[in-house]
């Protein structure tokens, strides 16, 4: 595997002593979104994590703090973490975080945010971010719901987001972009402006994309990252609290052109994503203490990297890869910009993921890079 030279850069240094432990306390979810990479898995264990296992996670966090001097962010993950049946476990996590000086974050579909609103407001000083999803404007919601099955009503979500922001809770709203809603981005921008969100320093809009890493969702509306990046160009300049969360293959070139739109992922020059990067230290632990490094693999037992009790996560042992590790990639016309592509997709269907990444890169060159070069050339 390739060797990676760590960068002497503030963006990377600040993550050196920071680690995120995401607890998938249960794989239960109240929704079945059509593009979801997790909930169609019939082998998911949907019981709530036991107190014994939770205490073992706490013990590991204490070790990370006291022995390895890590700043720990405990992320509530799932399934849907804010199900009412998880409240007892969530109470214990909040109490532990307060006593041990940890931060709390969460990834939620938002439906039960009103149920937990009081708790989130009380603990706002240790909350780093509560992330939820709004994929459409209220006007387009009914049409979008028919296909995506995403039943979190944007109008209701906007009300609870506004309430939490009013009380000082850090909120990150994500939009999963596909062919159905990419043209809704200008309207969503206007919707968030009208709500007053974009002027609130506690608010962040993260624009991501729908994908199908396992090629098992058969979701027909997937776009490339370059399609979305080109759309964002038409909305530029965007407020500083609007960030892109989807760029992989085009990221290095986009950074040089100033088109990253605040992407927070530190994937490294030779890494396809943060899960194969030495920078972001993010680990998922589930209700059986299985450990995962990649978001989309959570719940797939065969893709676990170990168990919390026998894996030295504090050493951040990441398997680094580049396109030079794969014979099929060495003569690739895009010169390794995708770093071999997504490891999950590559292991399932190498040619399919290769064709996808090349398509994304070609679109970036034709629709973004070349027009920018022509623009700069005319200015000289």
């Amino acid at each position: 595997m390739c060797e990676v030279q760590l960068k002497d850069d503030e963006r990377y240094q600040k993550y050196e002593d920071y680690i995120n432990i995401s607890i998938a306390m249960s794989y239960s979810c109240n929704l079945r979104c059509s593009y979801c990479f997790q909930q169609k898995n019939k082998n998911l264990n949907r019981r709530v994590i036991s107190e014994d296992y939770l205490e073992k996670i706490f013990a590991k966090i204490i070790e990370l703090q006291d022995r390895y001097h890590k700043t720990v962010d405990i992320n509530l993950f799932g399934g849907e973490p804010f199900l009412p049946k998880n409240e007892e476990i969530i109470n214990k996590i909040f109490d532990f975080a307060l006593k041990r000086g940890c931060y709390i974050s969460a990834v939620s579909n938002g439906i039960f945010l009103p149920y937990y609103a009081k708790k989130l407001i009380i603990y706002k000083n240790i909350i780093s971010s509560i992330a939820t999803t709004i994929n459409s404007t209220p006007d387009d919601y009914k049409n979008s719901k028919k296909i995506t099955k995403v039943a979190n009503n944007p109008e209701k979500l906007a009300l609870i987001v506004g309430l939490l922001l009013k009380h000082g809770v850090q909120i990150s709203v994500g939009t999963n972009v596909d062919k159905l809603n990419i043209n809704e981005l200008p309207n969503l921008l206007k919707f968030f402006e009208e709500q007053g969100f974009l002027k609130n320093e506690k608010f962040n809009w993260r624009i991501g994309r729908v994908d199908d890493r396992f090629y098992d969702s058969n979701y027909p509306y997937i776009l490339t990252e370059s399609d979305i990046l080109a759309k964002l160009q038409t909305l530029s300049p965007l407020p500083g609290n609007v960030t892109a969360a989807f760029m992989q293959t085009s990221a290095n070139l986009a950074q040089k052109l100033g088109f990253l739109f605040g992407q927070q992922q530190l994937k490294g020059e030779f890494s396809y994503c943060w899960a194969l990067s030495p920078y972001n230290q993010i680990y998922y632990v589930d209700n059986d203490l299985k450990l995962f490094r990649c978001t989309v693999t959570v719940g797939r037992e065969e893709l676990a990297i170990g168990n919390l009790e026998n894996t030295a996560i504090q050493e951040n042992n990441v398997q680094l890869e580049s396109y030079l590790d794969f014979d099929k990639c060495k003569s690739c016309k895009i010169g390794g910009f995708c770093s071999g592509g997504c490891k999950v997709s590559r292991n399932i269907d190498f040619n399919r993921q290769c064709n996808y990444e090349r398509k994304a890169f070609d679109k970036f060159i034709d629709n973004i890079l070349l027009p920018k070069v022509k623009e700069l050339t005319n200015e000289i």
Side-chain angles (χ1 to χ4, degrees), residues 4 28 42 59 64 71 73 119-120 122 177 180 196 215 222 260 269 277 281 283 285 318 322 324 327 330 348 375:
V4 173
S28 291
K42 296 180 181 179
L64 290 169
T71 298
D73 188 311
K119 192 184 309 295
L120 298 177
I122 290 173
V177 180
L180 297 173
Y215 303 135
I222 293 175
L260 271 186
E269 287 186 88
S277 164
Q281 297 188 58
Y283 293 89
V285 55
V318 178
S322 84
L324 293 175
D327 290 337
K330 292 178 181 178
I348 294 173
E375 175 187 329

Side-chain angles (χ1 to χ4, degrees), residues 57-273:
I57 296 175
F58 289 164
K60 174 62 73 173
I61 291 173
I62 291 171
E63 180 187 20
L64 290 169
Q65 290 179 313
D66 293 350
R67 183 176 177 182
Y68 297 97
H69 310 294
K70 298 290 186 181
T71 298
V72 180
D73 188 311
I74 302 173
N75 180 248
L76 308 181
F77 198 71
E80 167 54 42
F82 286 133
L83 295 177
K85 72 174 185 178
N86 296 338
E87 186 170 13
E88 185 176 345
I89 294 296
I90 288 174
N91 287 342
K92 292 181 182 297
I93 293 174
F94 271 109
D95 289 344
F96 172 82
L98 191 62
K99 291 175 184 176
R100 291 296 308 183
C102 300
Y103 293 102
I104 291 285
S105 56
V107 178
S108 168
N109 59 42
I111 289 179
F112 290 105
L113 284 179
Y115 182 88
Y116 283 94
K118 181 178 179 180
K119 192 184 309 295
L120 298 177
I121 292 169
I122 290 173
Y123 285 99
K124 66 182 179 182
N125 289 334
I126 64 169
I127 291 176
S128 59
S129 179
I130 302 298
T132 189
T133 302
I134 296 179
N135 286 340
S136 64
T137 61
D139 289 341
D140 193 55
Y141 171 60
K142 289 184 179 180
N143 292 330
S144 173
K145 181 182 175 183
K146 290 177 183 177
I147 298 174
T148 64
K149 313 300 182 185
V150 181
N152 48 359
N153 186 300
E155 202 162 20
K156 293 181 179 179
L157 275 174
L159 290 174
I160 186 60
V161 166
L163 175 67
L164 293 174
L165 288 172
K166 179 181 178 181
H167 289 279
V169 181
Q170 187 76 38
I171 300 292
S172 177
V173 169
T175 297
N176 299 310
V177 180
D178 58 21
K179 293 178 182 178
L180 297 173
N181 68 349
I182 187 168
N183 291 322
E184 277 288 290
L185 288 179
N187 294 330
L188 266 173
L189 181 67
K190 182 179 179 182
F191 177 63
F192 292 144
E193 286 175 341
E194 291 172 345
Q195 301 299 315
F197 296 164
L198 296 177
K199 293 182 179 179
N200 193 311
E201 62 180 9
K202 294 288 185 179
F203 178 80
N204 176 247
W205 182 25
R206 300 184 74 236
I207 300 171
R209 73 176 185 86
V210 177
D211 56 35
D212 184 14
R213 297 298 183 189
F214 294 97
Y215 303 135
D216 63 357
S217 73
N218 296 314
Y219 191 73
Y221 304 105
I222 293 175
L223 293 168
T224 72
E225 61 185 50
S226 299
D227 292 313
I228 305 172
L229 185 58
K231 187 67 176 181
L232 291 183
Q233 300 298 310
T234 68
L235 303 180
S236 186
L238 288 166
N241 54 358
V242 178
T243 60
F246 57 84
M247 280 185 280
Q248 312 292 355
T249 297
S250 305
N252 290 332
L253 279 176
Q255 181 180 10
K256 290 177 172 59
L257 292 171
F259 292 160
L260 271 186
F261 294 105
Q263 177 166 272
Q264 298 168 343
Q265 177 185 165
L266 298 179
K267 76 183 193 70
E269 287 186 88
F270 301 102
S271 308
Y272 179 75
C273 66

